[in-house]
Structures are given as C-alpha cells and as structure tokens.
Amino acid sequence: MKPFLKWAGGKRQLMPFISEFINKNSVSNKRYFEPFIGGGSVFFNLQCPKATICDLNEEIINCYNVIKENSDELIVLLKKHKKNHCKEYFYKIRELDRKPNIFNKLTNVEKAARTIYLNRTCYNGLYRVNLSGYFNTPLGKYVNPMICDEENIKEVSKFLNKKGIEILCADFEKAVEKARAGDWVYFDPPYDYQTEGFVNYNKEGFNHDDLKRLKKLCDKLIKRGVNVLISNNDTKFVRATFKSSNYQIIYSTKVIKANRNINSKGEKRKKVDEVLIYGRKA
C-alpha cells in the first residue's frame, strides 16, 4: 500500500529519518494524528490501525472519503480519464473549477477522479491553487502516467475502512482535539521559504501567523504528554518559532538534506535543508 496521490514535498524519501521518532512500534497501542495529510506518505508507511487524518483542503479529503466509500466507481472514472488523456483533455478537465455551474453539479466521485487525474498528470504532482482556489499547475511531461493504480486503490480502501480510522476536513487545531498522553502527532504544514513565504495548496493559505499558532498548539499538546514531530524547511523563521524558550518544553532539531524537484529548470534542482523538530517535556 502506498500513497494514491503524487505529492511535491512528499515524505517517502525522509521516512528513514522520520522513523527514528515515529514508527510502527512507537504507535502500536497509541493513536496517530496527521492534521496535514496531503499525500499521506507517513500515514501509509505506518499503517497505524488507530489514526485520525485531516486536511483543510476539501478536494484532498474528498479523495480519501471516496476511496473509502466508492472505490469501484472511482476506478471506472479514472480508467475513462486514462483513455481520454492528452494535452487538450488535461486542460479541459483542469478548467472545470472555473465553471461553477458545471463543477458544482459533479458528484463527489467525479470530483475525486478529477483531482487524482490532474494530480497524476500535472507537473511533478504539485498541488497548487491560486487565490481564487483554482487548480493552476500545468501539464507534466509524462509519456505514460499512472492514472489508475487499481490494486493500490483497493488496498487503500480496505485500510481506510478499518474501524479505528477517522477522516476529517478541518483546521489543524480541531484535528488533534482527541490527542491524549502517549499519542503521536505529526505536523507537516506548508513549507516556509526564506524569501517567498508559504506555497498555497488551498485557497485559505498558510502564513507565519498560522505557524506561530501551530507552535502554541504543540506546546499545549506536549504539556499533556502527547508526542509531537514537526517538519518544515530550515529557515530563520522556522528556527526562531520553534526555539526552546519555555523551560518546561524542549524542541530538538534534526537537519536533513532532501531532494526537491519542483523547479522547472533542471540546473536549479538541488538538495535543500529540511528540519524535523521533536518536542518533549524537559
């Protein structure tokens, strides 16, 4: 079982480092929370039978719910997208969210199929929207993109139907309300960029004030015994936000070199410094 979405900034390459903190042993008999689920690399790697996953992006969460409840119908529609795929078809499907009289009539399954199709065929799996909430990533240069991974979708559906899995579409604070001592929370919010701020993947956006709010939430969780891990870019703002200024809480930082292939120019693609920040009681 693996993520059904491609995700720019996905955590599959970082799993050996994340596993030093969160792994199948550490979450056994505990509940796992991931409030910014995105493509879900860590969630699918852990396969924790008691988990709450969440995202504020309605289209992403709709995909998880549709795979859980209507995977067979979804597979039929994805095969249709695969059959029709070409440059003209991609942009025709992408433009649907600009036409509310059409888009609002789509069923949840049709919307999920559209989201997955665009994700699997757009540039680098980069889920990006403009200020109006319109998906605006261009077509990727793929010869034969995997649009319908039928076997994996069925596996994911079976897993999401486990009794202990909860799927939410909400703010990250709401997502962790049930977290108790001993549980694990992994926060993978939008990444801060030194000069450009955060990259939007939903119309509500995410900014420095949101990251400060996240830090305060982490403090509260740690004080009640919850294990907290955060990932982001290694920027001055991120470092300053998560410095250990409270004598009751310690934030330990681990720097990791990660490959990032988002830039369209190959010569500008390089390893970047990311940080894993683990919060614990002093």
Side-chain angles (χ1 to χ4, degrees), residues 101-255:
N101 60 318
I102 298 176
F103 186 77
N104 292 337
K105 293 179 181 179
L106 298 178
T107 66
N108 286 337
V109 182
E110 289 171 330
K111 288 180 179 178
R114 172 184 177 270
T115 299
I116 295 172
Y117 165 66
L118 293 177
N119 170 263
R120 304 296 299 188
T121 56
C122 74
Y123 176 74
N124 269 359
L126 178 60
Y127 195 104
R128 184 187 65 196
V129 298
N130 60 23
L131 293 177
S132 299
Y134 300 145
F135 186 84
N136 65 356
T137 311
L139 178 66
K141 297 179 180 180
Y142 305 111
V143 176
N144 186 28
M146 173 62 82
I147 295 171
C148 182
D149 189 342
E150 183 173 352
E151 182 178 346
N152 186 60
I153 288 174
K154 289 181 177 179
E155 281 190 58
V156 172
S157 179
K158 183 178 179 180
F159 181 69
L160 293 179
N161 274 285
K162 288 183 178 292
K163 187 177 180 180
I165 304 297
E166 180 182 31
I167 305 172
L168 302 176
C169 183
D171 181 75
F172 59 83
E173 291 193 64
K174 181 74 174 177
V176 297
E177 284 182 346
K178 297 178 183 178
R180 300 292 179 262
D183 290 342
W184 276 91
V185 178
Y186 172 51
F187 289 109
D188 185 31
Y191 273 25
D192 181 40
Y193 289 84
Q194 202 77 47
T195 58
E196 302 170 9
F198 297 87
V199 174
N200 287 342
Y201 75 115
N202 63 59
K203 63 183 179 181
E204 288 78 13
F206 191 89
N207 56 38
H208 284 168
D209 287 337
D210 290 312
L211 195 65
K212 290 178 181 177
R213 182 163 62 95
L214 176 62
K215 164 61 164 56
K216 291 180 180 179
L217 177 62
C218 289
D219 289 348
K220 293 178 182 178
L221 290 170
I222 293 165
K223 285 179 181 178
R224 67 177 190 236
V226 178
N227 299 289
V228 173
L229 185 69
I230 309 105
S231 58
N232 215 290
N233 272 338
D234 190 10
T235 66
K236 292 180 180 178
F237 183 80
V238 170
R239 288 273 188 163
T241 301
F242 285 93
K243 64 182 179 182
S244 297
S245 57
N246 186 325
Y247 73 93
Q248 294 179 317
I249 298 172
I250 296 174
Y251 285 98
S252 303
T253 302
K254 184 180 183 69
V255 180

Side-chain angles (χ1 to χ4, degrees), residues 24-89:
K24 292 182 179 181
N25 289 329
S26 64
V27 297
S28 64
N29 301 318
K30 302 295 181 183
R31 191 162 191 86
Y32 171 73
F33 295 81
E34 191 168 341
F36 300 90
I37 188 63
S41 291
V42 178
F43 169 66
F44 288 118
N45 180 274
L46 292 174
Q47 297 183 31
C48 181
K50 294 185 292 184
T52 296
I53 60 174
C54 179
D55 208 290
L56 196 57
N57 187 310
E58 294 179 0
E59 288 195 47
I60 299 301
I61 291 302
N62 179 56
C63 289
Y64 281 90
N65 282 322
V66 165
I67 287 180
K68 176 182 178 179
E69 299 165 5
N70 301 94
S71 60
D72 290 339
E73 187 179 347
L74 174 67
I75 288 168
V76 170
L77 293 180
L78 287 175
K79 287 181 177 179
K80 179 181 177 181
H81 284 314
K82 179 176 176 62
K83 181 180 179 180
N84 294 326
H85 176 60
C86 64
K87 181 178 180 179
E88 292 74 22
Y89 185 77

